[in-house]
Amino acid sequence: MPQMNRDQRNAAWQAANQWRARATQTQPTGLLGNLKLLLTWLAFGALMIVGVLLGLFFLLIGWAMMPFVRHKMKKRMEQMRADQAQDIGSGYASSRHQPNQYDALEGSYEVKDETHRR
């Protein structure tokens, strides 16, 4: 029994008891209270049904758009590959005949003479 007395002095225990007392006081009484409760549950249920239907609708729209997005991404990848192949084919051979230009992993750079800086 000492354990129960210590629990009843706990702030959370007292708050739970207050909530329980308040809930029993606010229960609907009479026909009007029951009608309010029924209408509240019906409105909540209707909102849940609308939310589920909207979620399913957007899910189906997303699934229907996936082939279009895939096609667009495929075309973009083909374009990027074509651009990269064009850069490799034309850029490397033409830049080799300049004496002060070098290639590195990060890109190309050019060494300028001291006479050009002044």
Side-chain angles (χ1 to χ4, degrees), residues 37-81:
L37 186 64
L38 178 68
L39 289 176
T40 302
W41 277 104
L42 285 176
F44 178 73
L47 285 175
M48 288 294 287
I49 290 171
V50 167
V52 166
L53 289 176
L54 278 173
L56 286 174
F57 174 74
F58 285 121
L59 178 72
L60 290 175
I61 291 292
W63 279 348
M65 289 180 66
M66 283 181 93
F68 298 113
V69 173
R70 182 176 177 263
H71 177 70
K72 187 176 181 180
M73 289 178 68
K74 197 174 184 181
K75 286 187 90 166
R76 188 180 295 168
M77 279 300 291
E78 288 174 2
Q79 183 64 38
M80 285 175 56
R81 284 183 182 155

Side-chain angles (χ1 to χ4, degrees), residues 6-53:
R6 197 172 358 164
D7 286 341
Q8 289 175 350
R9 286 184 300 212
N10 189 357
W13 183 270
Q14 290 174 358
N17 281 334
Q18 289 173 357
W19 288 346
R20 187 181 307 130
R22 232 179 292 143
T24 56
Q25 289 174 358
T26 59
Q27 285 183 348
T29 55
L31 183 62
L32 188 61
N34 287 333
L35 187 62
K36 277 185 185 179
L37 186 64
L38 178 68
L39 289 176
T40 302
W41 277 104
L42 285 176
F44 178 73
L47 285 175
M48 288 294 287
I49 290 171
V50 167
V52 166
L53 289 176

Side-chain angles (χ1 to χ4, degrees), residues 97-110:
H97 65 275
Q98 296 176 356
N100 289 339
Q101 192 167 5
Y102 302 99
D103 288 334
L105 290 176
E106 295 84 15
S108 59
Y109 64 95
E110 184 178 343

